[in-house]
Amino acid sequence: RQVETELADHLARARDVLTRATRATLNSGQVETRERIRIFIQQAESARDRDPATALQLARRADLLAQDLLPALH
């Protein structure tokens, strides 16, 4: 249950930044980061049922990248 809660939190934060990044004007490095976030989210969602631990790691990576990108969106 804790893994599922943490996974949901990481995914929600990453999705929020991804949504904002989609509307922002970004340089090429930031666009690459945005796409990596999108891929990690997709992989985490795909792994969620069969391998929750892997899904959590992927969601953490997406969230970490999202937090790194966040300052560029202000």
Side-chain angles (χ1 to χ4, degrees), residues 4 10-11 13 20-22 24 26-28 33 35-36 40-41 43 45 49-50 53 59-60 62-63 65-66 69 71:
E4 183 59 37
H10 285 299
L11 287 174
R13 280 193 301 269
R20 293 168 63 184
T22 301
L26 304 173
N27 65 36
S28 61
T33 298
E35 293 312 307
R36 288 176 64 205
F40 281 138
I41 289 171
Q43 290 173 334
E45 290 171 340
D49 292 332
R50 62 181 161 69
R60 282 182 180 146
D63 191 11
L65 286 173
L69 185 59

Side-chain angles (χ1 to χ4, degrees), residues 3 47-48 50-58 60:
V3 168
R48 182 180 234 152
R50 62 181 161 69
D51 189 350
T54 297
L56 180 56
Q57 290 300 324
L58 291 163
R60 282 182 180 146

Side-chain angles (χ1 to χ4, degrees), residues 7-37:
L7 175 61
D9 289 346
H10 285 299
L11 287 174
R13 280 193 301 269
R15 280 191 196 106
D16 178 56
V17 173
L18 185 61
T19 299
R20 293 168 63 184
T22 301
R23 293 186 235 128
T25 302
L26 304 173
N27 65 36
S28 61
Q30 293 163 336
V31 168
E32 184 179 319
T33 298
R34 183 186 66 197
E35 293 312 307
R36 288 176 64 205
I37 294 166

Side-chain angles (χ1 to χ4, degrees), residues 63-74:
D63 191 11
L64 185 62
L65 286 173
Q67 296 314 307
D68 287 345
L69 185 59
L70 193 57
L73 305 178
H74 292 276

